[in-house]
Amino acid sequence: MRTFSSFLGRAVETQSGRKIGKCRDLRASVGQGRPVVEAIVVGRAGRFEHLGIRRVGAVKDAVPWDAVVRIDGKRIVVRDGTELE
């Protein structure tokens, strides 16, 4: 099991090494049971979102969680071709 805070500050990169940004927050849906992580919030806009400041639809700042291939040391590796949503 990983803690939320263990993701913060990790580099987010594609399998081929393209840098997307740093993990600033995680988005999760809350329903019955445990929260389900849906996306990794990255970059400068992600820093504001972490503080609760978000302009809906204005900035693409998240990588879908289902794009994560592996967590490798201090980085989160996502599929090649992954773009911010």
Side-chain angles (χ1 to χ4, degrees), residues 49-76:
E49 184 171 331
H50 180 73
L51 297 172
I53 304 167
R54 182 167 190 248
R55 294 185 349 214
V56 176
V59 179
K60 296 182 178 190
D61 65 350
V63 174
W65 183 255
D66 62 3
V68 174
V69 175
R70 68 182 179 276
I71 299 166
D72 183 21
K74 298 239 182 228
R75 51 185 201 141
I76 301 168

Side-chain angles (χ1 to χ4, degrees), residues 2-75:
R2 295 191 186 267
T3 62
F4 162 77
S5 60
S6 72
F7 290 95
L8 296 179
R10 288 180 189 238
V12 179
E13 301 176 3
T14 63
Q15 292 168 300
S16 60
R18 181 174 61 91
K19 296 182 186 326
I20 294 177
K22 290 192 176 193
C23 176
R24 300 296 179 192
D25 211 340
L26 298 176
R27 286 188 193 151
S29 60
V30 180
Q32 295 179 349
R34 295 181 180 180
V36 176
V37 176
E38 295 182 351
I40 302 167
V41 181
V42 298
R44 188 180 315 195
R47 189 176 304 193
F48 289 115
E49 184 171 331
H50 180 73
L51 297 172
I53 304 167
R54 182 167 190 248
R55 294 185 349 214
V56 176
V59 179
K60 296 182 178 190
D61 65 350
V63 174
W65 183 255
D66 62 3
V68 174
V69 175
R70 68 182 179 276
I71 299 166
D72 183 21
K74 298 239 182 228
R75 51 185 201 141

